[in-house]
Amino acid sequence: MNLEKIILELKERYMEIFEELKELNSYLFENPELGLKEFKARDKHCEILSKYGFFIEKGYCGIETAFLANYVGEKPGPRIAYLAEYDALPEIGHGCGHNILGVTSSAAGILLREFVNIYGGEVLVIGTPAEETDGAKVAMVKSGAFNNIDVAMIVHPTSGNLHLRSSSSQAMEALQFTFKGKTSHAAGSPHLGINALDGVITLFNTINALRQQILPTDRVHGIITKGGEAANIIPDLAVANFYVRSRNKNELDTFLEKVLNCAKGAAISSGTKLEIENYETSFLDLITNKTLMNLYEESLKDIGITEMKDSEDSGSTDAGDVSHVCATIHPYLPLYKDVISHSRELAQCTIEDGAYKGMEEAVLALVLTGIKILKSEKILDEIKLEFDNRK
């Protein structure tokens, strides 16, 4: 079967299931669920994948709202995984577009299944909850879920009219700083109190002073989550949450030590006791497999998408942890509308025509990439060689 016939067949098959995909996407949009509470999303994804012959395991890796859907061909071959996210954001629903992200991955799995029957191998759709918070992929990596996967692919929606290449993400630590002091009357006996809020404010000030001496790729940003109960009571408890990010784990460790020293100094100068802990899961940096990314870009060109641009190296994702154990890409599909990420406007446009255009293009490219890997041992060897060398 030549490439033109494969593409024609894929487009016809996609249109046959499009109404089901649209229904799934609309359902997820109308029923947004926060991380680790995505029971409706999990069940709806599993329902459609089961219909098309996938073996389903809910609660994968001991995570209730995770799932594994796999389809195994009669002949041995590559194990290709599409990763599905489906958690929403507080108050604004699917402002990061994880509804259409998950549908894209499930659709790609359904279409590649037929070629697994022809060429052998295995296609997996792995439901990975809570990307916005706890990052279930991190726990799944630690449990060995990706150890025997040959390639993992996930395509995230984004603003604009262009597909974006997978590049990198930042390694990240989510730290909570708790300062403990002693209450006292702020006017009557301030000398008897120890102000925990002073510790937090000093932490912010020293971190702001530190910014002058950090790498351009370092990021640190935080909020005060607890600062006292009343203005006339010296607070005995104050808490700040920070994200600390760097280009990779080594640079993060160096930067992190400086941030921790800021906190320790703040505690000493304010006379408070300090506790430091992770309040969310930490993420590794994303290492894009360039050979796999080039194959995906070639597949977009095969269906007529001739222009892409690089994505910005910002933010963090638990897909980074996956990229440290198997060849991974994380490109972006366009919503064909200019909107701000993490907004109600972005959520709304995930059920509009532009989003479905971008989704179709991404699904076809994902499946074509999978087909090329199934057909060519040489291509898979090149992908694995790059992964081994970069690791």
Side-chain angles (χ1 to χ4, degrees):
M1 188 182 300
N2 65 35
L3 184 61
E4 289 183 2
K5 288 184 178 179
I6 288 176
I7 293 172
L8 181 61
E9 180 181 327
L10 281 179
K11 288 182 177 179
E12 291 175 351
R13 188 72 183 106
Y14 178 85
M15 292 312 301
E16 289 173 8
I17 65 172
F18 174 68
E19 288 304 320
E20 291 179 88
L21 302 176
K22 188 175 181 180
E23 181 181 344
L24 173 59
N25 187 53
S26 295
Y27 178 85
L28 299 176
F29 171 81
E30 292 164 3
N31 295 274
E33 299 165 296
L34 299 182
L36 302 181
K37 297 180 180 178
E38 316 102 313
F39 292 99
K40 292 178 181 178
R42 179 202 66 184
D43 290 346
K44 280 295 183 180
H45 274 285
C46 290
E47 182 181 310
I48 189 171
L49 289 162
S50 177
K51 175 183 175 181
Y52 287 100
F54 282 76
F55 168 81
I56 304 295
E57 180 183 344
K58 295 181 181 180
Y60 189 47
C61 297
I63 302 168
E64 280 191 297
T65 55
F67 70 83
L68 171 67
N70 71 308
Y71 186 92
V72 183
E74 294 182 0
K75 298 181 290 185
R79 301 184 78 222
I80 298 172
Y82 299 118
L83 311 185
E85 297 170 1
Y86 33 80
D87 61 322
L89 294 162
E91 303 298 328
I92 63 174
H94 279 290
C96 204
H98 289 176
N99 52 328
I100 203 161
L101 183 160
V103 175
T104 298
S105 292
S106 284
I110 291 168
L111 295 185
L112 187 64
R113 170 188 69 97
E114 299 178 17
F115 294 88
V116 166
N117 285 332
I118 298 170
Y119 301 113
E122 181 178 356
V123 57
L124 308 93
V125 179
I126 303 177
T128 61
E131 190 274 340
E132 295 290 349
T133 52
D134 291 324
K137 296 184 194 70
V138 177
M140 297 167 88
V141 165
K142 290 178 180 177
S143 72
F146 297 94
N147 288 357
N148 297 313
I149 300 293
D150 290 303
V151 298
M153 294 181 275
I154 179 171
V155 185
H156 200 292
T158 192
S159 174
N161 299 318
L162 291 176
H163 288 262
L164 306 183
R165 298 180 186 90
S166 177
S167 56
S168 64
S169 67
Q170 292 179 306
M172 182 272 289
E173 287 274 354
L175 294 178
Q176 179 169 282
F177 299 94
T178 301
F179 291 82
K180 295 182 178 180
K182 182 181 178 181
T183 58
S184 181
H185 195 293
S189 53
H191 58 288
L192 298 179
I194 299 174
N195 196 322
L197 184 58
D198 282 347
V200 165
I201 292 173
T202 303
L203 170 63
F204 272 83
N205 288 335
T206 52
I207 286 177
N208 285 337
L210 175 66
R211 294 181 197 277
Q212 185 179 353
Q213 283 82 37
I214 66 176
L215 293 170
T217 48
D218 289 340
R219 296 288 185 273
V220 56
H221 37 96
I223 60 169
I224 299 173
T225 59
K226 188 172 181 62
E229 302 299 332
N232 65 343
I233 303 172
I234 289 177
D236 65 342
L237 181 68
V239 182
N241 287 356
F242 275 85
Y243 286 119
V244 185
R245 310 180 199 249
S246 290
R247 188 166 43 189
N248 55 53
K249 184 65 168 60
N250 289 337
E251 291 182 6
L252 177 61
D253 289 342
T254 300
F255 183 34
L256 195 59
E257 183 179 359
K258 296 177 181 179
V259 173
L260 295 177
N261 285 338
C262 288
K264 293 171 185 176
I268 292 170
S269 65
S270 61
T272 54
K273 293 181 180 179
L274 173 65
E275 294 178 1
I276 304 171
E277 60 184 337
N278 288 97
Y279 68 95
E280 288 178 4
T281 304
S282 301
F283 297 161
L284 292 175
D285 53 302
L286 175 70
I287 303 174
T288 288
N289 187 282
K290 294 181 181 179
T291 306
L292 181 57
M293 184 58 228
N294 290 341
L295 194 65
Y296 178 82
E297 184 171 2
E298 175 187 275
S299 297
L300 278 174
K301 291 178 180 177
D302 290 337
I303 62 169
I305 308 299
T306 58
E307 186 178 1
M308 291 188 78
K309 69 176 184 178
D310 293 331
S311 59
E312 295 181 2
D313 299 344
S314 61
S316 305
T317 173
D318 56 356
D321 289 67
V322 177
S323 74
H324 285 253
V325 293
C326 69
T328 303
I329 58 170
H330 188 290
Y332 293 79
L333 66 88
L335 294 170
Y336 288 99
K337 193 171 185 178
D338 290 323
V339 286
I340 298 172
S341 181
H342 284 211
S343 67
R344 289 183 177 86
E345 291 74 20
L346 189 144
Q348 180 61 39
C349 77
T350 63
I351 56 170
E352 296 175 356
D353 290 344
Y356 289 118
K357 180 179 187 296
M359 182 178 81
E360 178 181 357
E361 293 163 352
V363 169
L364 295 176
L366 283 169
V367 179
L368 276 177
T369 302
I371 292 170
K372 291 170 183 177
I373 293 169
L374 293 176
K375 289 177 64 176
S376 172
E377 187 176 338
K378 181 176 180 292
I379 287 175
L380 182 58
D381 286 344
E382 290 173 353
I383 291 170
K384 287 186 171 183
L385 178 62
E386 179 187 334
F387 174 79
D388 290 339
N389 288 340
R390 293 199 70 182
K391 185 178 178 183

